């Protein structure tokens, strides 16, 4: 049985002045890139990188994340990480 999530545990990404419009596609993609760039530079155990993970998991559709993860694993991801 799935674990119940409390309402106070649900948070969305904070406002980012780089992306002021309602279309959050670029914010989603940039946060995904920022997370993996942060891990590449700082290492997987660096806790502040988790901020970007929370943002892109909150904004991006799961299908996009799965697609990008598959592309990264196969070496065909178009972004510069």
């Amino acid at each position: 049985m799935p674990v119940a999530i409390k309402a106070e545990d649900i948070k969305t990404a904070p406002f980012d002045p780089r992306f002021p419009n309602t279309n959050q596609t670029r914010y989603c993609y940039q946060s995904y890139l920022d997370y993996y760039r942060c891990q590449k530079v700082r290492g997987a155990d660096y806790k502040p990188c988790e901020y970007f993970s929370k943002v892109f998991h909150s904004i991006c559709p799961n299908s996009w994340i799965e697609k990008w993860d598959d592309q990264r694993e196969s070496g065909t991801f178009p972004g510069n990480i």
Side-chain angles (χ1 to χ4, degrees), residues 17-54:
R18 297 176 297 168
F19 309 100
N21 299 322
T22 55
N23 185 346
Q24 297 292 295
T25 303
R26 288 193 53 167
Y27 189 18
C28 158
Y29 184 71
Q30 189 62 50
S31 296
Y32 184 86
L33 290 177
D34 288 343
Y35 174 67
Y36 287 103
R37 285 177 183 160
C38 182
Q39 280 198 329
K40 182 179 179 182
V41 172
R42 300 288 185 159
D45 296 333
Y46 190 63
K47 291 291 182 191
C49 293
E50 291 302 313
Y51 167 80
F52 298 113
S53 176
K54 290 178 184 177

Side-chain angles (χ1 to χ4, degrees), residues 8 14 45 49 65 81:
E8 57 271 0
D45 296 333
C49 293
I65 296 170
I81 296 177

Side-chain angles (χ1 to χ4, degrees), residues 1 3 7 9-12 16 19 22 28 31 39 43 45 50 54 56-58 61 75 77 81:
M1 174 162 265
V3 177
D9 292 338
I10 299 174
K11 294 182 172 67
T12 189
D16 189 332
F19 309 100
T22 55
C28 158
S31 296
Q39 280 198 329
D45 296 333
E50 291 302 313
K54 290 178 184 177
F56 82 75
H57 277 101
S58 141
F77 184 70
I81 296 177

